[in-house]
Amino acid sequence: MFIVGASLKATDFQRLQRQPKSILLLSLGPLLLLPALAWILIILFQPEPLVKNG
């Protein structure tokens, strides 16, 4: 992660200022989609309670 951050340039941040929706979608996407996907998989596969509860 440090190498990726070190390679950022000013133009990368300027692009983010022009497209604030992309930041919001990319930040909230995993928070909303991954729990929903896990819930759907639990319903579909009906795992044992020990597996289902983590």
Side-chain angles (χ1 to χ4, degrees), residues 1-31:
M1 295 305 280
F2 176 75
I3 298 300
V4 172
S7 67
L8 290 173
K9 297 183 175 106
T11 56
D12 297 323
F13 293 103
Q14 291 171 351
R15 190 174 358 150
L16 290 176
Q17 285 180 334
R18 287 185 303 226
Q19 299 174 342
K21 285 184 189 177
S22 63
I23 297 172
L24 183 65
L25 290 175
L26 293 173
S27 298
L28 292 178
L31 293 174

Side-chain angles (χ1 to χ4, degrees), residues 42 47-54:
I42 287 172
E48 297 178 24
L50 183 63
V51 175
K52 188 185 328 184
N53 294 332

